Amino acid sequence: MTTTTLTTRPGPAPTGTTGDPAARARARRSRLLHWIAVHAVAVAVALFFLLPFVFVFLTSVMSDNQAMSGELWPHGWHWSNYLTVFRTPGFLDWWKNSLLYAGLGTLLTVCSALPVAYALAKFRFRGRRTAMVLVISTMMLPPQVIVIPMYLVWAQQLHLAGSLWPLIIPLAFGDAYSVFLLRQFLLTIPQEYLESAKVDGCGELRTLLTIVVPMAKPGIAAIALFQFFYCWNDYFGPQIYAAQNPAAWTLSYGLESFKSAHSVNWNLTMAATLLVMAPVIIVFFFAQKAFVEGVTLTGVKG
């Protein structure tokens, strides 16, 4: 009886195995080059957006003569330029008015948009789709179309011209963009959570406050930041309603007057510009995580 011995030949080594030092070196070099390329592009894009702010900052701490020259780096750091801007008559009032407009406007927008968005997202009633179409259609209407009749109402009927109240009061009745954005976010909340709360005896208001609001914090943060940025940077509204009363000007509108009065003092103009931008940059820096998460999740469901 003969015995047959079977021998197995080793197959080819898989690509990228640890047995080939040259292949490992090429893989490391490829990963390194990829890392350098990606980060180089990221740094270039970051510098593209950052350099204008650096230019504004460096100019704001220059002297009057150097700011008019072509030099980019200040000879001395004139921090007193910011103090000079703050001492400008009316500048602190513009700050207070901007904080009032942006803060109160944001609060009213969130409080009014949240229940409307909740109803459109979770309630089932006849005409729900029609109501949503009407909300979206108001977003397509430019504010310049209705500015004349609205001004006549606020100025002649309610006698509120020369103040910011014609801009703040309407925000207590909702904002179409905030309602739409928040409604899209609330659609991502499972209906089972709301049904469980109702089984436990919660009414609609309690369900909204105890279940929906904690789960919708990113979406609420997103619409709050959007509204705050809009109110803080709004130039058209204060120009229409508060132009005749300098005591009611906001920073965005008052900055134009400041630039006209200091047209040859570029260092003071840049210092004022940086002070106007600073609150927006600070707010976004601390709330960017909630902002990005809220904007991302609003597109999950339609």
Side-chain angles (χ1 to χ4, degrees):
M1 184 176 180
T2 59
T3 303
T4 304
T5 304
L6 298 177
T7 59
T8 58
R9 296 181 179 179
T15 305
T17 56
T18 58
D20 189 354
R24 292 202 307 271
R26 287 194 299 269
R28 285 196 302 269
R29 186 163 54 250
S30 176
R31 289 194 298 267
L32 178 61
L33 292 176
H34 180 266
W35 184 90
I36 292 175
V38 170
H39 286 75
V41 173
V43 170
V45 173
L47 289 176
F48 179 78
F49 287 99
L50 186 62
L51 285 178
F53 295 98
V54 175
F55 173 78
V56 170
F57 170 72
L58 293 178
T59 306
S60 68
V61 293
M62 291 181 179
S63 62
D64 293 340
N65 295 330
Q66 188 182 2
M68 298 294 292
S69 66
E71 300 180 11
L72 298 178
W73 192 261
H75 296 312
W77 300 84
H78 297 269
W79 301 105
S80 58
N81 292 339
Y82 293 96
L83 186 59
T84 303
V85 172
F86 269 111
R87 288 176 176 173
T88 301
F91 193 84
L92 288 179
D93 292 333
W94 303 343
W95 257 86
K96 295 176 184 177
N97 294 333
S98 293
L99 289 175
L100 174 66
Y101 180 24
L104 188 57
T106 301
L107 179 63
L108 291 176
T109 298
V110 172
C111 292
S112 59
L114 181 59
V116 177
Y118 175 64
L120 292 175
K122 298 301 180 181
F123 287 4
R124 297 294 180 266
F125 57 91
R126 182 175 298 179
R128 183 170 66 99
R129 293 184 179 274
T130 303
M132 193 61 208
V133 170
L134 291 176
V135 170
I136 296 176
S137 63
T138 60
M139 297 168 55
M140 304 177 184
L141 187 65
Q144 292 80 4
V145 174
I146 60 174
V147 65
I148 294 179
M150 291 299 299
Y151 179 82
L152 294 176
V153 170
W154 290 109
Q156 297 184 0
Q157 302 298 325
L158 301 178
H159 306 288
L160 290 176
S163 69
L164 295 175
W165 293 113
L167 301 174
I168 297 175
I169 293 176
L171 297 177
F173 301 93
D175 173 70
Y177 182 75
S178 299
V179 170
F180 172 75
L181 196 68
L182 192 55
R183 182 250 183 189
Q184 295 300 108
F185 186 90
L186 295 182
L187 288 174
T188 64
I189 298 179
Q191 188 68 25
E192 289 77 10
Y193 289 102
L194 310 183
E195 294 175 353
S196 300
K198 293 175 182 178
V199 169
D200 292 338
C202 294
E204 294 294 349
L205 180 59
R206 187 178 177 186
T207 301
L208 174 63
L209 296 178
T210 60
I211 304 298
V212 176
V213 170
M215 299 182 67
K217 284 183 179 179
I220 296 174
I223 67 168
L225 288 175
F226 271 127
Q227 191 62 42
F228 182 86
F229 295 159
Y230 171 79
C231 293
W232 188 269
N233 297 320
D234 186 18
Y235 179 86
F236 180 74
Q239 183 187 30
I240 296 298
Y241 293 105
Q244 64 270 36
N245 182 16
W249 288 359
T250 59
L251 281 172
S252 58
Y253 186 72
L255 184 61
E256 182 67 27
S257 174
F258 186 92
K259 287 168 58 180
S260 301
H262 300 82
S263 56
V264 295
N265 304 112
W266 281 104
N267 53 343
L268 299 182
T269 301
M270 293 302 178
T273 302
L274 195 62
L275 289 174
V276 173
M277 294 189 301
V280 176
I281 297 174
I282 293 173
V283 169
F284 183 78
F285 179 79
F286 285 102
Q288 60 179 327
K289 182 178 180 180
F291 175 76
V292 172
E293 184 180 355
V295 173
T296 303
L297 294 180
T298 50
V300 176
K301 280 192 177 182

